[in-house]
Amino acid sequence: TEKFKRLKNEGNDFVKMGEYEEAANKYSECMKLNTEECTVYTNRALCYLKLYKYEEAKRDCDHVLQIEDSNIKAFYRRALAYKGLQVRKKNMPGI
């Protein structure tokens, strides 16, 4: 619908400006209108990666892969999320 497209475009504009928190919020709004649209999940995953929110990025990618099991962006971004989680674990003291 129109509102969905507008929110998604606003999110995309925020990404282009490097405003990842705002972009993620727009994509989250999109999800309230349509939970099946995979691009908003992969886009939000990108935002989460940029914000070092690897667990959230992985969750969004997992969701996409349940709907589209061959979504290349979801596979790639989930791999980046796993990599981020591994690096974080390595850098934590006492583990």
Side-chain angles (χ1 to χ4, degrees), residues 52 54 83-95:
Y52 309 106
Y54 302 117
K83 188 176 172 193
L85 288 167
Q86 289 304 112
V87 169
R88 181 177 290 163
K89 201 181 286 181
K90 218 183 296 182
N91 292 335
M92 287 178 114
I95 293 178

Side-chain angles (χ1 to χ4, degrees), residues 1 9-10 19 24 37 46-47 53 61 75-76 78 86:
T1 62
N9 287 334
E10 287 172 9
E19 304 283 344
E37 177 65 51
L46 170 72
C47 296
K53 294 181 176 181
C61 293
F75 272 118
Y76 178 67
R78 185 168 69 173
Q86 289 304 112

Side-chain angles (χ1 to χ4, degrees), residues 55-69:
E55 200 57 58
E56 292 88 336
K58 187 182 100 50
R59 201 175 312 128
D60 277 355
C61 293
D62 287 342
H63 177 83
V64 170
L65 292 167
Q66 285 176 348
I67 301 168
E68 284 180 21
D69 62 0

Side-chain angles (χ1 to χ4, degrees), residues 3 11 15 18-19 21 25 30 41 46 51 61 75 77 80-81:
K3 187 177 182 190
V15 168
E19 304 283 344
E21 195 73 54
N25 291 338
C30 287
Y41 285 91
L46 170 72
L51 296 166
C61 293
F75 272 118
R77 290 180 181 160
L80 292 176

